[in-house]
Amino acid sequence: MKIRIRIKAIGNLETGNKKEGGTWAARSMVLEEDGQLYPDRFAVRLTGDAAEKLQWKEGDYALATLSFTTREYNGRHLQDVYLKNLESDNL
């Protein structure tokens, strides 16, 4: 799903060590859909190199590609939203 968004908030970079070796990196962000009277907001997770090398700042507009997954945990269904790609919209 690709939508035009505005970056509302960018969380701090989180890092750690994987059990099987190597490291991981992640960052949380809040994105707001642009051009709506009542815009949707998405709390998303950005992982890997993209989280470490993020060049965007709060208030920037971009085209975002989102991925939605659902998982079960202790009998409850939880949804995760991942930011797959962020690109300039040139508007």
Side-chain angles (χ1 to χ4, degrees):
M1 172 180 181
K2 184 183 276 192
I3 58 172
R4 184 167 192 266
I5 55 90
R6 184 168 81 112
I7 300 172
K8 294 292 286 182
I10 300 174
N12 294 327
L13 181 66
E14 303 170 32
T15 59
N17 295 315
K18 296 180 183 178
K19 292 179 188 175
E20 43 305 320
T23 60
W24 60 266
R27 186 185 301 264
S28 294
M29 298 174 67
V30 175
L31 308 177
E32 183 177 79
E33 192 172 11
D34 187 46
Q36 304 292 324
L37 181 59
Y38 301 103
D40 289 330
R41 285 189 179 175
F42 302 94
V44 300
R45 195 88 169 141
L46 184 60
T47 58
D49 287 341
E52 293 181 298
K53 299 174 183 173
L54 185 67
Q55 299 291 317
W56 301 86
K57 61 185 185 306
E58 292 178 13
D60 284 349
Y61 288 88
L63 292 175
T65 303
L66 305 178
S67 172
F68 301 85
T69 62
T70 302
R71 59 191 164 87
E72 185 178 346
Y73 179 75
N74 287 340
R76 296 176 54 199
H77 286 85
L78 307 172
Q79 185 174 46
D80 296 317
V81 182
Y82 291 95
L83 179 60
K84 291 294 187 182
N85 190 32
L86 198 59
E87 59 191 67
S88 176
D89 65 359
N90 295 322
L91 294 179

XYZ file of all heavy atoms in Angstrom:
731
model
N 0.854 -1.180 0.000
C 0.000 0.000 0.000
C 0.893 1.234 0.000
O 1.712 1.414 0.888
C -0.874 -0.040 1.263
C -1.674 1.183 1.508
S -2.666 1.023 3.022
C -3.481 2.564 2.977
N 0.761 2.078 -1.033
C 1.575 3.293 -1.133
C 0.664 4.503 -0.938
O -0.360 4.624 -1.604
C 2.267 3.358 -2.483
C 3.216 4.541 -2.615
C 3.817 4.626 -3.981
C 5.015 3.715 -4.058
N 5.822 3.954 -5.275
N 1.043 5.388 -0.022
C 0.249 6.576 0.264
C 1.170 7.783 0.456
O 2.337 7.637 0.805
C -0.619 6.404 1.536
C 0.249 6.089 2.746
C -1.686 5.351 1.331
C -0.508 6.102 4.056
N 0.622 8.981 0.235
C 1.367 10.222 0.497
C 1.183 10.554 1.975
O 0.062 10.601 2.481
C 0.853 11.363 -0.366
C 1.677 12.627 -0.190
C 1.361 13.650 -1.272
N 2.339 14.719 -1.256
C 2.173 15.866 -0.595
N 1.077 16.095 0.086
N 3.119 16.787 -0.630
N 2.292 10.770 2.657
C 2.249 10.978 4.103
C 3.075 12.197 4.508
O 3.879 12.714 3.743
C 2.775 9.741 4.869
C 4.212 9.333 4.423
C 1.852 8.573 4.691
C 5.279 9.968 5.190
N 2.852 12.599 5.760
C 3.714 13.583 6.428
C 4.274 12.891 7.650
O 3.550 12.196 8.376
C 2.934 14.821 6.838
C 3.836 15.890 7.458
C 3.099 17.198 7.574
N 2.258 17.194 8.743
C 2.459 17.967 9.817
N 3.450 18.818 9.837
N 1.655 17.905 10.830
N 5.555 13.045 7.897
C 6.191 12.421 9.055
C 5.889 13.269 10.287
O 6.276 14.427 10.363
C 7.706 12.279 8.840
C 7.972 11.405 7.620
C 8.367 11.713 10.090
C 9.420 11.349 7.193
N 5.137 12.700 11.221
C 4.733 13.412 12.437
C 5.767 13.273 13.548
O 5.988 14.210 14.307
C 3.387 12.888 12.936
C 2.221 13.179 12.014
C 1.898 14.648 11.939
C 1.217 15.115 13.191
N 0.831 16.506 13.186
N 6.350 12.088 13.693
C 7.314 11.858 14.783
C 8.276 10.748 14.371
O 7.895 9.812 13.665
C 6.590 11.463 16.060
N 9.511 10.877 14.825
C 10.543 9.871 14.583
C 11.145 9.486 15.928
O 11.625 10.344 16.668
C 11.654 10.395 13.648
C 11.069 10.792 12.295
C 12.749 9.349 13.486
C 12.057 11.454 11.361
N 11.102 8.197 16.232
C 11.654 7.706 17.490
C 13.160 7.535 17.426
O 13.782 7.624 16.364
N 13.752 7.281 18.575
C 15.188 7.051 18.654
C 15.550 5.703 18.049
O 14.753 4.769 18.056
C 15.654 7.088 20.109
C 15.508 8.463 20.711
O 15.646 9.470 20.026
N 15.216 8.522 21.997
N 16.769 5.594 17.572
C 17.277 4.338 17.027
C 17.477 3.344 18.156
O 18.080 3.672 19.184
C 18.600 4.589 16.293
C 19.228 3.363 15.647
C 18.350 2.853 14.511
C 20.621 3.691 15.152
N 16.951 2.139 17.976
C 17.148 1.051 18.936
C 18.038 0.005 18.274
O 17.832 -0.324 17.107
C 15.811 0.412 19.304
C 14.797 1.377 19.877
C 13.423 0.751 19.984
O 13.327 -0.475 20.206
O 12.438 1.484 19.813
N 19.019 -0.515 19.012
C 19.905 -1.544 18.476
C 20.105 -2.637 19.509
O 19.850 -2.434 20.700
C 21.285 -0.965 18.089
O 21.883 -0.387 19.258
C 21.172 0.086 16.997
N 20.556 -3.784 19.037
C 20.825 -4.893 19.937
C 21.538 -6.008 19.201
O 21.840 -5.905 18.012
N 21.806 -7.074 19.921
C 22.486 -8.232 19.354
C 21.492 -9.358 19.110
O 20.634 -9.623 19.940
C 23.591 -8.717 20.297
C 24.684 -7.691 20.447
O 25.124 -7.113 19.477
N 25.120 -7.459 21.672
N 21.643 -10.028 17.955
C 20.811 -11.180 17.627
C 21.341 -12.418 18.332
O 22.549 -12.516 18.602
C 20.822 -11.436 16.119
C 20.221 -10.335 15.298
C 20.293 -10.702 13.820
C 19.764 -9.605 12.938
N 19.869 -9.943 11.511
N 20.464 -13.360 18.632
C 20.885 -14.622 19.260
C 21.863 -15.383 18.378
O 22.813 -15.988 18.866
C 19.671 -15.511 19.529
C 18.751 -14.994 20.588
C 17.573 -15.935 20.761
C 16.546 -15.321 21.682
N 15.338 -16.160 21.788
N 21.608 -15.356 17.062
C 22.448 -16.108 16.139
C 23.673 -15.325 15.680
O 24.400 -15.753 14.797
C 21.662 -16.632 14.963
C 20.635 -15.860 14.206
C 19.456 -15.219 14.880
O 18.812 -15.737 15.788
O 19.166 -14.115 14.432
N 23.943 -14.202 16.300
C 25.085 -13.369 15.945
C 24.657 -12.187 15.092
O 23.597 -12.194 14.485
N 25.467 -11.179 15.050
C 25.126 -9.969 14.308
C 24.322 -9.006 15.167
O 24.092 -9.237 16.354
N 23.890 -7.936 14.556
C 23.136 -6.915 15.276
C 21.828 -6.620 14.547
O 21.671 -6.957 13.380
C 23.943 -5.613 15.395
O 24.237 -5.132 14.095
C 25.226 -5.823 16.174
N 20.911 -5.981 15.249
C 19.658 -5.528 14.657
C 19.489 -4.054 14.973
O 20.076 -3.534 15.916
C 18.452 -6.343 15.166
C 18.239 -6.269 16.652
C 18.717 -7.140 17.586
C 17.521 -5.273 17.383
N 18.343 -6.761 18.847
C 17.596 -5.602 18.754
C 16.822 -4.135 17.030
C 17.005 -4.835 19.746
C 16.228 -3.385 18.030
C 16.320 -3.745 19.370
N 18.685 -3.376 14.150
C 18.380 -1.961 14.371
C 16.915 -1.732 14.006
O 16.393 -2.337 13.072
C 19.275 -1.076 13.512
N 16.257 -0.858 14.752
C 14.854 -0.535 14.491
C 14.566 0.886 14.972
O 15.259 1.414 15.845
C 13.938 -1.527 15.190
N 13.526 1.452 14.399
C 13.105 2.806 14.762
C 11.595 2.885 14.565
O 11.068 2.358 13.588
C 13.814 3.801 13.863
C 13.599 5.238 14.195
C 14.248 6.142 13.148
N 15.669 5.943 13.001
C 16.599 6.675 13.605
N 16.255 7.632 14.426
N 17.874 6.446 13.385
N 10.893 3.538 15.474
C 9.454 3.746 15.336
C 9.196 5.138 14.771
O 9.950 6.075 15.035
C 8.757 3.614 16.694
O 8.867 2.303 17.160
N 8.117 5.242 13.990
C 7.744 6.529 13.407
C 6.228 6.651 13.420
O 5.516 5.647 13.412
C 8.229 6.630 11.959
C 9.728 6.560 11.792
S 10.220 6.508 10.054
C 9.746 8.118 9.488
N 5.736 7.883 13.421
C 4.307 8.138 13.269
C 4.146 8.886 11.948
O 4.760 9.932 11.738
C 3.725 8.960 14.431
C 2.265 9.296 14.172
C 3.895 8.220 15.742
N 3.325 8.312 11.057
C 3.065 8.894 9.747
C 1.603 9.299 9.671
O 0.737 8.587 10.176
C 3.364 7.870 8.648
C 4.726 7.196 8.686
C 4.831 6.166 7.577
C 5.839 8.213 8.610
N 1.345 10.433 9.027
C -0.032 10.912 8.880
C -0.350 11.028 7.395
O 0.398 11.649 6.637
C -0.180 12.269 9.558
C -1.592 12.816 9.508
C -1.701 14.129 10.255
O -1.296 15.164 9.691
O -2.156 14.103 11.405
N -1.467 10.424 6.988
C -1.892 10.472 5.597
C -2.185 11.920 5.211
O -2.827 12.658 5.950
C -3.123 9.601 5.410
C -3.483 9.351 3.981
C -4.592 8.339 3.831
O -5.230 7.971 4.824
O -4.811 7.919 2.703
N -1.718 12.329 4.045
C -1.870 13.711 3.597
C -3.118 13.866 2.732
O -3.528 12.939 2.041
C -0.638 14.133 2.793
C -0.667 15.601 2.440
O -0.974 16.420 3.325
O -0.412 15.937 1.274
N -3.723 15.051 2.775
C -4.820 15.385 1.899
C -6.181 14.902 2.354
O -7.110 14.856 1.560
N -6.333 14.553 3.616
C -7.609 14.071 4.138
C -8.149 15.054 5.171
O -7.383 15.659 5.916
C -7.423 12.708 4.814
C -6.802 11.653 3.935
C -7.709 11.239 2.806
O -8.921 11.179 2.974
N -7.138 10.986 1.652
N -9.474 15.170 5.247
C -10.087 16.015 6.266
C -9.803 15.446 7.656
O -9.468 16.174 8.584
C -11.594 16.118 6.030
C -12.369 16.992 7.008
C -11.846 18.425 6.983
C -13.861 16.973 6.666
N -9.944 14.138 7.786
C -9.623 13.432 9.030
C -8.561 12.390 8.699
O -8.869 11.236 8.419
C -10.871 12.763 9.626
C -11.964 13.750 9.926
C -13.079 13.875 9.105
C -11.863 14.592 11.033
C -14.079 14.794 9.379
C -12.858 15.528 11.311
C -13.957 15.614 10.481
O -14.937 16.532 10.756
N -7.289 12.797 8.696
C -6.228 11.908 8.215
C -5.991 10.712 9.136
O -6.095 10.815 10.357
C -5.001 12.815 8.167
C -5.290 13.898 9.147
C -6.772 14.088 9.146
N -5.691 9.581 8.497
C -5.294 8.397 9.244
C -3.854 8.572 9.696
O -3.023 9.149 8.988
C -5.385 7.139 8.369
C -6.809 6.735 8.073
O -7.683 7.015 8.922
O -7.043 6.139 7.017
N -3.561 8.066 10.873
C -2.183 8.046 11.379
C -1.767 6.607 11.558
O -2.564 5.762 11.967
C -2.077 8.773 12.720
C -2.137 10.264 12.570
C -1.803 10.947 13.863
N -1.839 12.397 13.670
C -1.686 13.253 14.646
N -1.501 12.843 15.885
N -1.721 14.544 14.398
N -0.508 6.335 11.252
C 0.035 4.992 11.364
C 1.285 5.030 12.226
O 2.183 5.833 11.972
C 0.419 4.440 9.985
C -0.719 4.389 9.004
C -0.937 5.429 8.111
C -1.575 3.307 8.983
C -1.981 5.382 7.204
C -2.620 3.249 8.073
C -2.820 4.287 7.188
N 1.328 4.192 13.241
C 2.564 3.982 14.004
C 3.272 2.833 13.303
O 2.742 1.723 13.226
C 2.255 3.630 15.447
N 4.441 3.111 12.732
C 5.136 2.113 11.921
C 6.497 1.784 12.510
O 7.054 2.539 13.319
C 5.309 2.586 10.456
C 3.962 2.841 9.809
C 6.184 3.810 10.367
N 7.031 0.664 12.070
C 8.340 0.190 12.498
C 9.232 0.126 11.265
O 8.850 -0.437 10.242
C 8.176 -1.196 13.114
C 9.348 -1.648 13.905
C 9.189 -1.157 15.319
N 10.190 -1.827 16.146
C 10.838 -1.227 17.092
N 10.574 0.015 17.371
N 11.715 -1.861 17.795
N 10.399 0.726 11.359
C 11.400 0.709 10.305
C 12.570 -0.109 10.827
O 13.042 0.133 11.941
C 11.823 2.147 10.001
C 12.792 2.405 8.874
C 12.211 1.919 7.562
C 13.103 3.884 8.787
N 13.017 -1.113 10.057
C 14.059 -2.021 10.548
C 15.270 -2.046 9.625
O 15.213 -1.602 8.485
C 13.500 -3.454 10.682
O 13.020 -3.885 9.416
C 12.374 -3.519 11.695
N 16.362 -2.589 10.144
C 17.573 -2.801 9.360
C 18.335 -1.532 9.052
O 18.298 -0.542 9.790
N 19.037 -1.569 7.908
C 19.856 -0.428 7.480
C 19.033 0.843 7.309
O 19.510 1.941 7.562
C 20.569 -0.739 6.160
C 21.708 -1.733 6.325
O 22.180 -1.912 7.464
O 22.124 -2.323 5.306
N 17.789 0.678 6.863
C 16.927 1.850 6.647
C 16.710 2.617 7.950
O 16.635 3.844 7.944
C 15.594 1.415 6.059
N 16.617 1.911 9.070
C 16.438 2.570 10.370
C 17.702 3.320 10.781
O 17.630 4.403 11.363
C 16.069 1.542 11.433
N 18.848 2.754 10.460
C 20.117 3.373 10.838
C 20.463 4.581 9.966
O 21.033 5.551 10.443
C 21.253 2.348 10.738
C 21.142 1.242 11.750
C 22.276 0.258 11.647
O 22.405 -0.390 10.590
O 23.026 0.138 12.626
N 20.108 4.510 8.691
C 20.515 5.543 7.729
C 19.376 6.489 7.352
O 19.403 7.084 6.284
C 21.059 4.865 6.476
C 22.267 4.002 6.752
C 22.691 3.249 5.533
C 23.860 2.333 5.882
N 24.228 1.454 4.791
N 18.393 6.641 8.215
C 17.234 7.474 7.931
C 17.662 8.919 7.656
O 18.337 9.541 8.467
C 16.257 7.426 9.113
C 14.948 8.160 8.923
C 14.110 7.477 7.843
C 14.177 8.215 10.222
N 17.259 9.455 6.495
C 17.622 10.816 6.083
C 16.463 11.794 6.229
O 16.619 12.967 5.946
C 18.076 10.795 4.616
C 19.286 9.943 4.377
C 20.535 10.538 5.006
O 20.760 11.741 4.925
N 21.332 9.708 5.638
N 15.303 11.317 6.623
C 14.111 12.147 6.715
C 14.016 12.810 8.073
O 14.609 12.360 9.038
C 12.871 11.290 6.460
C 12.903 10.640 5.113
C 13.501 9.448 4.799
C 12.354 11.137 3.912
N 13.346 9.174 3.471
C 12.644 10.196 2.894
C 11.639 12.272 3.598
C 12.239 10.376 1.591
C 11.231 12.436 2.282
C 11.527 11.500 1.294
N 13.211 13.894 8.157
C 13.010 14.556 9.439
C 11.515 14.814 9.642
O 10.727 14.743 8.692
C 13.814 15.848 9.521
C 13.473 16.884 8.484
C 14.407 18.065 8.586
C 14.058 19.185 7.661
N 13.926 18.904 6.273
N 11.138 15.115 10.866
C 9.741 15.395 11.179
C 9.245 16.571 10.343
O 9.957 17.553 10.167
C 9.579 15.679 12.668
C 9.822 14.448 13.516
C 9.720 14.707 15.015
O 9.231 15.777 15.418
O 10.142 13.820 15.774
N 8.039 16.445 9.791
C 7.452 17.476 8.955
C 7.638 17.243 7.471
O 6.968 17.882 6.654
N 8.532 16.337 7.079
C 8.748 16.030 5.662
C 7.543 15.305 5.079
O 6.864 14.547 5.767
C 9.983 15.143 5.469
C 11.287 15.893 5.610
O 11.262 17.143 5.647
O 12.346 15.230 5.684
N 7.306 15.530 3.782
C 6.277 14.806 3.029
C 6.969 13.774 2.154
O 8.054 14.027 1.628
C 5.469 15.763 2.147
C 4.539 16.644 2.937
C 4.970 17.864 3.455
C 3.229 16.246 3.181
C 4.114 18.667 4.186
C 2.365 17.043 3.918
C 2.815 18.254 4.412
O 1.979 19.033 5.146
N 6.331 12.625 1.974
C 6.931 11.557 1.182
C 5.853 10.581 0.730
O 4.697 10.666 1.156
C 7.982 10.820 2.007
N 6.251 9.654 -0.139
C 5.404 8.528 -0.506
C 5.890 7.325 0.292
O 7.069 6.983 0.247
C 5.500 8.236 -2.002
C 4.901 9.284 -2.925
C 5.169 8.917 -4.383
C 3.415 9.430 -2.688
N 4.983 6.711 1.020
C 5.342 5.591 1.887
C 4.685 4.314 1.390
O 3.513 4.315 1.008
C 4.901 5.868 3.320
N 5.452 3.231 1.403
C 4.916 1.912 1.116
C 4.846 1.172 2.440
O 5.865 0.985 3.107
C 5.802 1.143 0.123
O 5.929 1.923 -1.063
C 5.194 -0.212 -0.213
N 3.635 0.782 2.832
C 3.407 0.130 4.123
C 3.078 -1.338 3.928
O 2.499 -1.732 2.916
C 2.258 0.807 4.872
C 2.373 2.308 5.098
C 1.129 2.821 5.813
C 3.617 2.646 5.885
N 3.426 -2.133 4.929
C 3.112 -3.554 4.948
C 2.430 -3.865 6.277
O 2.901 -3.443 7.337
C 4.405 -4.364 4.811
O 4.157 -5.728 5.014
N 1.322 -4.595 6.211
C 0.553 -4.931 7.410
C 0.634 -6.433 7.660
O 0.419 -7.226 6.746
C -0.917 -4.543 7.234
C -1.115 -3.079 6.970
C -1.023 -2.552 5.696
C -1.387 -2.219 8.024
C -1.203 -1.209 5.461
C -1.571 -0.866 7.799
C -1.478 -0.356 6.516
N 0.941 -6.825 8.883
C 0.948 -8.242 9.252
C 0.171 -8.418 10.551
O 0.078 -7.503 11.367
C 2.388 -8.776 9.453
O 3.001 -8.065 10.512
C 3.220 -8.618 8.197
N -0.399 -9.593 10.708
C -1.143 -9.916 11.920
C -0.553 -11.177 12.525
O -0.187 -12.106 11.822
C -2.633 -10.146 11.594
O -3.134 -8.969 10.970
C -3.441 -10.423 12.839
N -0.472 -11.195 13.843
C 0.046 -12.371 14.558
C -0.800 -12.607 15.799
O -1.466 -11.697 16.293
C 1.513 -12.188 14.915
C 1.787 -10.981 15.784
C 3.274 -10.688 15.888
N 3.498 -9.362 16.400
C 3.575 -9.043 17.679
N 3.442 -9.968 18.602
N 3.796 -7.810 18.045
N -0.752 -13.837 16.284
C -1.482 -14.180 17.494
C -0.509 -14.289 18.662
O 0.573 -14.851 18.534
C -2.216 -15.508 17.322
C -3.093 -15.843 18.509
C -3.854 -17.137 18.326
O -3.915 -17.633 17.201
O -4.366 -17.653 19.329
N -0.888 -13.736 19.799
C -0.068 -13.794 21.005
C -1.002 -13.946 22.199
O -1.842 -13.087 22.446
C 0.785 -12.528 21.138
C 1.634 -12.489 22.371
C 2.783 -13.269 22.468
C 1.291 -11.691 23.450
C 3.570 -13.236 23.605
C 2.066 -11.659 24.597
C 3.205 -12.438 24.663
O 3.972 -12.425 25.794
N -0.863 -15.046 22.917
C -1.702 -15.327 24.091
C -3.196 -15.197 23.790
O -3.958 -14.612 24.558
C -1.344 -14.409 25.257
C -0.025 -14.776 25.900
O 0.459 -15.900 25.751
N 0.569 -13.847 26.609
N -3.604 -15.737 22.641
C -5.015 -15.728 22.286
C -5.531 -14.414 21.728
O -6.715 -14.285 21.444
N -4.661 -13.434 21.577
C -5.059 -12.129 21.022
C -4.378 -11.938 19.672
O -3.249 -12.364 19.463
C -4.632 -11.005 21.965
C -5.324 -11.063 23.321
C -4.836 -10.008 24.272
N -4.942 -8.687 23.674
C -4.265 -7.638 24.108
N -3.433 -7.740 25.127
N -4.411 -6.461 23.536
N -5.062 -11.265 18.770
C -4.480 -10.955 17.469
C -3.944 -9.524 17.485
O -4.659 -8.592 17.851
C -5.523 -11.123 16.362
C -5.808 -12.555 16.085
N -6.724 -13.274 16.798
C -5.262 -13.405 15.195
C -6.758 -14.510 16.357
N -5.879 -14.617 15.373
N -2.697 -9.397 17.108
C -2.016 -8.096 17.097
C -1.602 -7.767 15.671
O -1.224 -8.649 14.904
C -0.784 -8.140 17.993
C -1.011 -8.618 19.427
C 0.297 -8.810 20.141
C -1.886 -7.636 20.166
N -1.667 -6.499 15.323
C -1.269 -6.080 13.989
C -0.007 -5.241 14.059
O 0.110 -4.336 14.886
C -2.384 -5.278 13.322
C -2.058 -4.917 11.889
C -3.222 -4.262 11.190
O -3.847 -3.381 11.743
N -3.501 -4.696 9.982
N 0.925 -5.544 13.172
C 2.157 -4.777 13.043
C 2.125 -4.053 11.708
O 1.673 -4.597 10.702
C 3.386 -5.691 13.082
C 3.537 -6.397 14.420
O 3.343 -5.742 15.455
O 3.835 -7.603 14.426
N 2.590 -2.811 11.701
C 2.681 -2.026 10.471
C 4.155 -1.704 10.250
O 4.796 -1.108 11.113
C 1.855 -0.719 10.559
C 1.923 0.050 9.251
C 0.420 -1.013 10.953
N 4.671 -2.133 9.102
C 6.075 -1.901 8.776
C 6.191 -0.929 7.612
O 5.402 -0.973 6.675
C 6.770 -3.213 8.394
C 6.935 -4.149 9.557
C 6.002 -5.144 9.802
C 8.004 -4.012 10.430
C 6.136 -5.996 10.880
C 8.144 -4.857 11.512
C 7.211 -5.849 11.730
O 7.341 -6.685 12.801
N 7.169 -0.062 7.686
C 7.472 0.868 6.606
C 8.466 0.173 5.679
O 9.601 -0.076 6.056
C 8.070 2.159 7.173
C 8.463 3.223 6.181
C 7.253 3.679 5.373
C 9.092 4.406 6.893
N 8.014 -0.181 4.481
C 8.860 -0.903 3.522
C 9.725 0.039 2.699
O 10.844 -0.299 2.344
C 8.002 -1.748 2.576
C 7.338 -2.911 3.244
C 8.372 -3.898 3.695
C 7.731 -5.155 4.224
N 8.691 -6.098 4.711
N 9.172 1.211 2.350
C 9.927 2.141 1.514
C 9.416 3.557 1.751
O 8.237 3.770 1.994
C 9.770 1.754 0.040
C 10.707 2.522 -0.853
O 11.804 2.886 -0.465
N 10.282 2.784 -2.078
N 10.318 4.508 1.657
C 9.984 5.918 1.798
C 10.721 6.655 0.686
O 11.934 6.547 0.571
C 10.442 6.407 3.175
C 9.853 7.686 3.729
C 8.340 7.581 3.861
C 10.453 7.995 5.086
N 9.953 7.358 -0.156
C 10.577 8.043 -1.280
C 10.018 9.451 -1.439
O 8.899 9.723 -1.010
C 10.391 7.242 -2.573
C 8.947 7.011 -2.931
C 8.772 6.006 -4.052
O 9.075 4.824 -3.857
O 8.300 6.443 -5.117
N 10.767 10.295 -2.074
C 10.347 11.674 -2.307
C 9.132 11.681 -3.226
O 9.043 10.907 -4.173
C 11.482 12.466 -2.945
O 11.048 13.754 -3.261
N 8.189 12.570 -2.945
C 6.995 12.645 -3.792
C 7.082 13.760 -4.821
O 6.255 13.855 -5.704
C 5.727 12.778 -2.946
C 5.682 14.083 -2.171
O 6.637 14.873 -2.274
O 4.692 14.305 -1.476
N 8.070 14.636 -4.701
C 8.310 15.725 -5.650
C 7.078 16.566 -5.944
O 6.861 16.994 -7.062
C 8.872 15.169 -6.972
C 10.230 14.559 -6.795
O 11.055 15.068 -6.040
N 10.481 13.454 -7.458
N 6.241 16.783 -4.923
C 5.058 17.634 -5.110
C 5.246 18.966 -4.420
O 5.838 19.096 -3.433
C 3.810 16.941 -4.592
C 3.392 15.690 -5.340
C 2.150 15.091 -4.694
C 3.103 15.994 -6.796
